[in-house]
Amino acid sequence: MRNYLISELKCHISVPLSEVNLDKVLATGQVFRWRKEGDTWFGVIRERLWILRQDPAGIHYKYHDIVPPSPPSNAEAQLRDFLNLKHVLRDVTRPWMSGDAHLSALVTRHAGLRLLRQEPGECLVAFITSSCNNIPRISSLMLKLSSLSPHSLTLHGTPFHTLPSLHFLAHHTSEQTLRDLGFGYRAKYLVSAARGVEERGGEAWLESLRGVGLGEARQQLSQLAGVGPKVASCVCLMALDKHNAVPIDTHMFQVSLEVLIRGVN
């Protein structure tokens, strides 16, 4: 990898830093296969390798198809969808800022932090992997998992892979292979969950959960191996358009109590 000059990235999306800050959305535990060199971000969305750099004028980018997209898709539309730009962050956060001083301070401090709209299969795999884990290790495991993919592109000496599909994990990957990569007890859950998705109609079924309510989507996901309430809520929130989902783990619970108690006192 190398740092790109903005002049080398010929395409551009006009969006202010207050609406999306790449450093805050790509490195804080939503996605795990993005890497930064200097001021340049590199990551794979579905079948494309993206190269992104941001300045106050917006996001400058270029991309390479690792495999030809099928069906053909508009590249900029794919990036906009991933960044969830159909939602105006200012409009979303305005009611929070007017009603709660603590939230108002957080929104100001973390301007540009927004939810991405991830590909559901990758999101499911990532958050099963996240169980009892930390961001650097999840990122390492996801990159190792990517190495199993038959589709890759090498850029500046660095290989970039598509993520193996759930079909591939269900039919062409063994639990032992994942254990050898370091997934530990999660290996069994990943293979079983992939098979569960395949039995229900594959990744098309998973994407179809975008069209049902939060309760049903969470209930359907919770039937998959390795998917408890938190993982189900994470997938609902970050990939299935359920912006009313609130994933709660021990850390979130403790922080919430701390903030509420401070507010009461």
Side-chain angles (χ1 to χ4, degrees):
M1 297 187 299
R2 69 172 177 84
N3 195 27
Y4 276 70
L5 300 174
I6 285 178
S7 60
E8 296 178 273
L9 306 178
K10 302 299 184 182
C11 300
H12 174 254
I13 294 176
S14 296
V15 58
L17 277 163
S18 59
E19 280 295 314
V20 55
N21 184 315
L22 293 180
D23 289 343
K24 291 182 177 179
V25 299
L26 297 178
T28 51
Q30 289 192 68
V31 288
F32 303 96
R33 294 199 302 140
W34 285 80
R35 290 172 277 180
K36 192 179 186 186
E37 181 69 30
D39 295 314
T40 307
W41 282 98
F42 298 80
V44 176
I45 305 172
R46 295 187 185 266
E47 70 291 322
R48 287 190 173 108
L49 166 62
W50 289 88
I51 303 162
L52 311 178
R53 182 163 172 171
Q54 189 166 26
D55 68 7
I59 297 170
H60 306 264
Y61 70 89
K62 67 185 299 184
Y63 65 89
H64 300 277
D65 288 337
I66 298 176
V67 293
S70 179
S73 59
N74 178 278
E76 181 173 317
Q78 182 185 62
L79 181 59
R80 285 181 173 274
D81 183 68
F82 174 72
L83 296 173
N84 223 357
L85 294 182
K86 70 178 181 180
H87 295 285
V88 179
L89 196 57
R90 180 184 64 254
D91 295 340
V92 173
T93 58
R94 185 182 293 116
W96 308 346
M97 298 183 75
S98 63
D100 188 292
H102 182 74
L103 280 178
S104 178
L106 289 176
V107 169
T108 301
R109 187 185 313 159
H110 300 292
L113 176 61
R114 61 161 53 232
L115 282 171
L116 300 170
R117 189 175 192 251
Q118 299 182 44
E119 187 273 311
E122 177 161 354
C123 188
L124 175 65
V125 168
F127 282 97
I128 292 176
T129 302
S130 75
S131 175
C132 299
N133 227 331
N134 57 62
I135 291 175
R137 189 157 186 273
I138 300 164
S139 298
S140 174
L141 288 171
M142 290 296 288
L143 290 173
K144 290 179 181 179
L145 182 63
S146 299
S147 70
L148 299 179
S149 171
H151 305 298
S152 68
L153 180 152
T154 298
L155 185 69
H156 309 306
T158 302
F160 293 88
H161 299 260
T162 61
L163 192 73
S165 66
L166 293 177
H167 178 85
F168 185 95
L169 293 178
H171 298 288
H172 303 290
T173 307
S174 68
E175 178 184 339
Q176 188 57 52
T177 297
L178 298 183
R179 285 187 176 274
D180 291 344
L181 291 178
F183 280 84
Y185 71 89
R186 304 169 194 84
K188 175 181 178 181
Y189 294 137
L190 285 170
V191 173
S192 296
R195 290 173 180 168
V197 171
E198 284 290 289
E199 291 167 1
R200 290 163 173 79
E203 298 197 32
W205 166 78
L206 194 57
E207 294 211 21
S208 76
L209 297 180
R210 286 176 168 171
V212 304
L214 171 60
E216 182 178 349
R218 194 157 45 197
Q219 187 270 335
Q220 293 282 340
L221 289 171
S222 296
Q223 294 178 23
L224 300 172
V227 179
K230 180 205 167 185
V231 171
S233 292
C234 285
V235 177
C236 283
L237 178 65
M238 300 180 194
L240 299 180
D241 302 333
K242 311 296 184 258
H243 296 150
N244 53 334
V246 183
I248 298 292
D249 62 8
T250 300
H251 304 293
M252 287 292 293
F253 184 70
Q254 290 174 342
V255 168
S256 299
L257 282 181
E258 187 178 306
V259 170
L260 287 170
I261 290 172
R262 187 188 328 152
V264 170
N265 291 341

